[in-house]
Amino acid sequence: MSAGIHLSEILKSSQEDALITKGKQALFESFVHAIVTHIRSNYLKRQSASRSAMRMAALFQQTCTPDDAIDVKVSQEGALVIVTSVMGDHPFIVDTIHATLRDAGAKSNTGFNSTIQVQRDDKQDLVAIDEGPTISLVLVEAEGLQDC
């Protein structure tokens, strides 16, 4: 599946499932477009549009945290543990996440990482994508962790 087709399906699914409020939909579309074009096709092939939309919506909400925050979340989907990270762009973020999972006895299956620019207003609310400082977004699917 090409990134362009998957992009359209993610946006359609996010609207159908009301994952993003109407006031943030245009910003979410810019966010998804900025990320999907950098995701490897093997990751996209493994994901349904609905699952991708759900994960993108969660990552978008996580991105709405202030610039200086390092936000790591761990959630469980059946036997899979989903680790997401949003922070200012630094070297070795992905390597550190993989090493931490490996040290905990987990096996990373798939995922993606991307850097995007985000602009915030004086209250630190997200107001634009592709402008402002660069942040790093990481999503890793792993197996072998218990009780996340």
Side-chain angles (χ1 to χ4, degrees), residues 40-54:
R40 292 176 206 90
S41 62
N42 64 343
Y43 176 82
L44 295 174
K45 288 176 186 174
R46 294 179 66 163
Q47 308 301 319
S48 68
S50 177
R51 176 174 282 175
S52 291
M54 181 183 65

Side-chain angles (χ1 to χ4, degrees), residues 60-78:
F60 176 74
Q61 297 300 336
Q62 196 173 346
T63 302
C64 292
T65 60
D67 266 347
D68 58 353
I70 296 175
D71 192 15
V72 178
K73 295 203 182 322
V74 179
S75 59
Q76 192 138 11
E77 291 179 11

